[in-house]
């Protein structure tokens, strides 16, 4: 199967910013990403010429996307398992495959499988009624974290409970949201490590990064994680390689970690390019987007050597109040002040706390690089020069995130 250029065609389910940036990488490899978009104005649908309009849970649309594609891969996990299996049965090459992807779709399946493999994860239990929650709290105490087993992203579907809140829990149960509970982990910070794995079995990992969160959402990524002990970094990379191998992941795997006084715990898995890897576009010899394409096409993987001692990626999150200056004007001023800052805008309308782009800054010292990245992202988001994201008008602190 090939395109008129003779180069392979990759189809991606979903047309968000991850697909948009994967398309950018595909262009350099002589390819053009094909995307399944719900709407024609989605980030990747705006730029990729081959767009299939349809939902990720529409099997016909998935088949239409797959037609003429070498391989089908994903920019999100919201594809029903039965559809993935139907595609495989129909002869479509799906990477990662349904069995692997299930662990990025279902937090309970993932927790159980990792625990079986001896990978450290937070204590957890399914919650189908209030009694389950009470039993868990009796063993582990407050606070706890309640999670939607499926469908959460960017902290939506994650609720921190400091004490009994039967109303909120019952409301979720009544709405039919499959739930689980886990201990609220006292952590030093959050880390992430990415690995790419090809069907041939080659694997490559990047340096471990620190992900800085606000309101359950990633605001900055520091690469490599500043001050991380060498043996901890190596252990995290080995862990990610092992998980990728055990779960037979093909493509990219992001492993989100909690660093605690007692070591590392795995929080979450994603099997696609991930926000924690945007820094690799400028900060690594091979970006996560190109690496994902190489992996799903079974090309040899690219070098993951960093290009700079300190790399900071900061998300541009829509401000609570609309800036008076247009984004175009803000960009103009940003370029005037920081000619070295790399900007990626996703073509999305600005809405409070919505990821509309990111900036990446390279340098020698984290203090300097981090401040420049925060200033740049804050300016693009709000049109004001201040460097603390808490003052940028990002979504107000909410104890319970929903929707
Ligand atoms: P999502 O899939 O929506 O990204 P996560 O499970 O990654 O949800 O959780 C989002 C954020 O919530 C994490 O990055 C972390 O800051 C916080 N969090 C999640 N689980 C726990 C936990 N068990 N203890 C403490 N904080 C947690």
């Amino acid at each position: 199967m090939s395109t008129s250029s003779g180069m392979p065609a990759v189809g991606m389910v979903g047309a968000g910013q991850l697909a948009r940036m994967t398309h950018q990488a595909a262009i350099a490899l002589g390819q053009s990403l094909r995307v399944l978009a719900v709407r024609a104005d989605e980030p990747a649908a705006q730029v990729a010429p081959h767009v299939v309009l349809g939902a990720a849970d529409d099997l016909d649309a998935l088949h239409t996307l797959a037609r003429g594609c070498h391989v089908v891969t994903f920019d999100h996990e919201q594809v029903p398992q039965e559809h993935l299996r139907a595609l495989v049965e129909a002869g479509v090459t799906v990477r990662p495959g349904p069995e692997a992807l299930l662990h990025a779709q279902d937090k309970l399946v993932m927790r159980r499988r990792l625990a079986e493999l001896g990978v450290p994860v937070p204590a957890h239990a399914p919650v189908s009624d209030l009694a389950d929650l009470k039993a868990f709290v009796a063993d582990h105490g407050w606070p706890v974290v309640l999670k939607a087993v499926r469908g959460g992203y960017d902290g939506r579907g994650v609720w921190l409970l400091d004490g009994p809140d039967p109303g909120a829990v019952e409301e979720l149960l009544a709405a039919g949201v499959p739930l689980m509970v886990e201990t609220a982990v006292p952590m030093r910070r959050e880390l992430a490590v990415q690995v790419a794995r090809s069907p041939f079995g080659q694997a490559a990992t990047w340096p471990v990064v620190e992900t800085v969160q606000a309101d359950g959402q990633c605001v900055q990524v520091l690469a490599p994680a500043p001050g991380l002990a060498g043996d901890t970094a190596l252990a995290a990379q080995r862990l990610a390689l092992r998980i990728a191998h055990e779960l037979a992941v093909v493509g990219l795997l992001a492993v989100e970690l909690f660093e605690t006084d007692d070591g590392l715990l795995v929080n979450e898995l994603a099997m696609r390019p991930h926000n924690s890897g945007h820094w690799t576009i400028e900060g690594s010899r091979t970006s996560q987007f190109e690496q994902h394409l190489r992996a799903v096409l079974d090309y040899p993987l690219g070098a993951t050597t960093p290009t700079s001692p300190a790399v900071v990626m900061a998300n541009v999150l829509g401000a609570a109040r609309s800036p008076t200056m247009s984004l175009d004007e803000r960009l103009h001023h940003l370029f005037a002040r920081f000619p070295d800052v790399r900007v990626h805008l996703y073509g999305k309308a600005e809405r409070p706390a919505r990821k509309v782009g990111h900036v990446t800054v390279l340098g020698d010292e984290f203090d300097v690089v981090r401040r420049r990245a925060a200033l740049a992202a804050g300016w693009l988001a709000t049109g004001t020069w201040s460097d603390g994201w808490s003052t940028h008008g990002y979504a107000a602190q909410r104890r319970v995130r929903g929707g």
Side-chain angles (χ1 to χ4, degrees), residues 7-327:
M7 297 307 285
V10 177
M12 191 170 258
V13 178
Q17 61 262 26
L18 300 175
R20 183 178 171 109
M21 290 184 274
T22 306
H23 176 59
Q24 216 167 353
I27 292 168
L29 303 185
Q31 304 172 20
S32 178
L33 195 71
R34 303 178 179 202
V35 298
L36 178 64
V38 177
R39 291 186 322 273
D41 66 350
E42 287 181 274
Q46 293 171 20
V47 294
H50 192 116
V51 180
V52 175
L53 283 178
D57 61 0
D58 174 346
L59 186 55
D60 289 340
L62 290 165
H63 276 296
T64 307
L65 172 74
R67 211 165 293 137
C69 283
H70 224 81
V71 53
V72 168
T73 187
F74 309 92
D75 109 326
H76 62 72
E77 288 93 16
Q78 318 300 332
V79 188
Q81 272 285 321
E82 63 268 26
H83 289 2
L84 294 171
R85 288 170 200 278
L87 289 175
V88 172
E89 271 163 36
V92 176
T93 305
V94 176
R95 291 177 174 158
E99 293 84 6
L101 197 64
L102 179 61
H103 300 87
Q105 294 180 315
D106 187 310
K107 290 182 202 273
L108 203 51
V109 170
M110 177 266 291
R111 285 268 186 276
R112 285 178 173 152
R113 182 72 197 280
L114 294 186
E116 272 168 29
L117 293 172
V119 172
V121 293
H124 59 277
V127 172
S128 38
D129 53 31
L130 276 180
D132 290 338
L133 182 60
K134 277 187 192 151
F136 186 84
V137 170
D139 287 343
H140 300 279
W142 301 104
V144 297
V145 177
L146 196 67
K147 290 186 174 182
V149 169
R150 286 167 167 266
Y153 67 97
D154 283 349
R156 292 164 176 83
V158 174
W159 302 272
L160 175 68
L161 301 181
D162 301 318
D165 192 350
V169 180
E170 270 171 348
E171 204 177 305
L172 288 166
L173 287 169
V177 181
L179 292 173
M180 60 183 282
V181 62
E182 57 188 40
T183 46
V185 176
M187 65 186 96
R188 292 187 194 154
R189 58 178 168 171
E190 295 189 46
L191 302 173
V193 56
Q194 280 189 302
V195 43
R197 184 172 173 279
S198 69
F200 181 72
Q202 192 189 5
T205 183
W206 283 269
V208 180
V209 300
E210 176 175 342
T211 62
V212 182
Q213 318 279 329
D215 303 325
Q217 204 176 2
C218 177
V219 289
Q220 280 194 353
V221 173
L222 319 180
L228 186 66
D231 55 347
T232 311
L234 197 59
Q237 289 179 312
R238 287 209 168 118
L239 191 65
L241 288 164
R242 185 168 158 238
I243 294 170
H245 174 73
E246 295 279 4
L247 302 186
V249 177
V250 173
L252 274 194
L253 169 71
V255 180
E256 295 178 36
L257 299 159
F258 296 148
E259 188 188 14
T260 76
D261 290 344
D262 303 321
L264 299 173
L265 292 180
V266 172
N267 173 41
E268 178 72 321
L269 303 180
M271 294 179 195
R272 50 172 168 75
H274 190 254
N275 198 176
S276 66
H278 291 356
W279 68 277
T280 58
I281 298 175
E282 293 89 5
S284 165
R285 294 275 171 219
T286 308
S287 81
Q288 62 162 344
F289 302 102
E290 178 174 329
Q291 198 80 306
H292 186 68
L293 289 168
R294 288 193 192 210
V296 298
L297 288 165
D298 210 6
Y299 282 144
L301 300 178
T304 52
T305 326
T307 58
S308 182
V311 184
V312 176
M313 187 286 317
N315 282 329
V316 179
L317 302 177
R321 260 170 305 167
S322 294
T324 43
M325 212 183 271
S326 72
L327 185 56

